[in-house]
Protein backbone atom coordinates (compact mmCIF):
# COMPACT_ATOMS: atom_id res chain seq x y z
CA UNK A 1 0.00 0.00 0.00
CA UNK A 2 1.32 3.46 -0.90
CA UNK A 3 1.34 6.42 1.43
CA UNK A 4 -0.58 9.55 0.40
CA UNK A 5 1.53 12.45 -0.84
CA UNK A 6 -0.40 14.97 1.26
CA UNK A 7 -2.04 14.86 4.64
CA UNK A 8 -5.24 16.60 5.65
CA UNK A 9 -5.22 20.38 5.25
CA UNK A 10 -7.58 23.28 5.75
CA UNK A 11 -8.27 25.07 2.46
CA UNK A 12 -8.53 28.84 2.35
CA UNK A 13 -10.87 30.46 -0.16
CA UNK A 14 -10.53 34.13 -1.06
CA UNK A 15 -13.51 36.15 0.12
CA UNK A 16 -15.50 37.59 -2.78
CA UNK A 17 -14.93 41.11 -1.41
CA UNK A 18 -11.15 40.55 -1.76
CA UNK A 19 -11.13 38.66 -5.07
CA UNK A 20 -10.17 41.58 -7.33
CA UNK A 21 -7.23 42.53 -5.11
CA UNK A 22 -5.92 39.02 -4.44
CA UNK A 23 -6.49 37.00 -7.62
CA UNK A 24 -4.52 37.68 -10.79
CA UNK A 25 -4.86 34.52 -12.84
CA UNK A 26 -2.38 31.89 -13.92
CA UNK A 27 1.18 32.72 -12.81
CA UNK A 28 2.75 31.68 -16.10
CA UNK A 29 0.19 33.60 -18.18
CA UNK A 30 1.70 36.89 -16.97
CA UNK A 31 5.19 38.04 -18.00
CA UNK A 32 7.85 38.61 -15.32
CA UNK A 33 7.68 42.37 -15.96
CA UNK A 34 3.90 42.36 -15.56
CA UNK A 35 4.16 40.26 -12.36
CA UNK A 36 6.64 42.80 -10.99
CA UNK A 37 4.28 45.66 -11.81
CA UNK A 38 1.29 43.88 -10.25
CA UNK A 39 3.14 43.01 -7.04
CA UNK A 40 4.56 46.52 -6.71
CA UNK A 41 1.19 48.19 -7.21
CA UNK A 42 -0.81 45.85 -4.97
CA UNK A 43 0.61 44.35 -1.76
CA UNK A 44 -2.45 42.06 -1.48
CA UNK A 45 -1.94 40.40 -4.86
CA UNK A 46 -1.31 36.68 -4.33
CA UNK A 47 1.61 36.93 -6.73
CA UNK A 48 3.48 38.44 -3.77
CA UNK A 49 3.22 35.01 -2.11
CA UNK A 50 4.39 33.01 -5.15
CA UNK A 51 7.17 35.19 -6.55
CA UNK A 52 10.22 33.62 -8.16
CA UNK A 53 13.73 35.01 -8.74
CA UNK A 54 12.84 36.04 -12.31
CA UNK A 55 10.11 38.39 -11.09
CA UNK A 56 12.57 40.97 -9.79
CA UNK A 57 14.10 42.98 -12.65
CA UNK A 58 17.23 43.60 -10.56
CA UNK A 59 17.56 39.89 -9.84
CA UNK A 60 19.06 40.60 -6.42
CA UNK A 61 16.76 38.47 -4.25
CA UNK A 62 18.02 35.07 -3.15
CA UNK A 63 15.65 32.15 -2.54
CA UNK A 64 15.66 32.60 1.25
CA UNK A 65 14.59 36.23 0.89
CA UNK A 66 11.88 35.28 -1.62
CA UNK A 67 10.53 32.59 0.71
CA UNK A 68 10.59 34.91 3.70
CA UNK A 69 8.86 37.71 1.78
CA UNK A 70 6.31 35.25 0.39
CA UNK A 71 5.47 34.04 3.90
CA UNK A 72 5.14 37.65 5.11
CA UNK A 73 2.75 38.38 2.22
CA UNK A 74 0.64 35.33 3.07
CA UNK A 75 0.57 36.33 6.75
CA UNK A 76 -0.59 39.79 5.67
CA UNK A 77 -3.50 38.27 3.74
CA UNK A 78 -4.48 36.24 6.80
CA UNK A 79 -4.22 39.37 8.99
CA UNK A 80 -6.65 41.36 6.82
CA UNK A 81 -9.04 38.37 6.76
CA UNK A 82 -8.96 37.98 2.97
CA UNK A 83 -9.88 34.28 3.23
CA UNK A 84 -12.97 32.42 4.33
Amino acid sequence: MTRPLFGDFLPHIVRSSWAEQVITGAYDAVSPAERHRLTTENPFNYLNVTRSPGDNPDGDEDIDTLLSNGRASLDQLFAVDAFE
Side-chain angles (χ1 to χ4, degrees), residues 36-48:
H36 178 72
R37 185 186 67 76
L38 290 167
T39 57
T40 302
E41 291 177 357
N42 179 5
F44 299 111
N45 192 307
Y46 197 76
L47 289 174
N48 286 299

Side-chain angles (χ1 to χ4, degrees), residues 24-40 45 47 50-57:
T24 300
Y27 179 88
D28 58 352
V30 183
S31 72
E34 183 68 4
R35 287 194 299 264
H36 178 72
R37 185 186 67 76
L38 290 167
T39 57
T40 302
N45 192 307
L47 289 174
T50 61
R51 290 182 53 213
S52 67
D55 294 341
N56 185 356

Side-chain angles (χ1 to χ4, degrees), residues 15-79:
R15 294 183 186 282
S16 59
S17 59
W18 279 91
E20 283 191 37
Q21 290 185 65
V22 176
I23 299 171
T24 300
Y27 179 88
D28 58 352
V30 183
S31 72
E34 183 68 4
R35 287 194 299 264
H36 178 72
R37 185 186 67 76
L38 290 167
T39 57
T40 302
E41 291 177 357
N42 179 5
F44 299 111
N45 192 307
Y46 197 76
L47 289 174
N48 286 299
V49 176
T50 61
R51 290 182 53 213
S52 67
D55 294 341
N56 185 356
D58 300 330
D60 61 355
E61 289 182 319
D62 61 50
I63 192 65
D64 291 330
T65 301
L66 284 170
L67 291 172
S68 177
N69 290 344
R71 179 60 204 212
S73 295
L74 184 59
D75 289 343
Q76 178 182 7
L77 288 170
F78 286 134

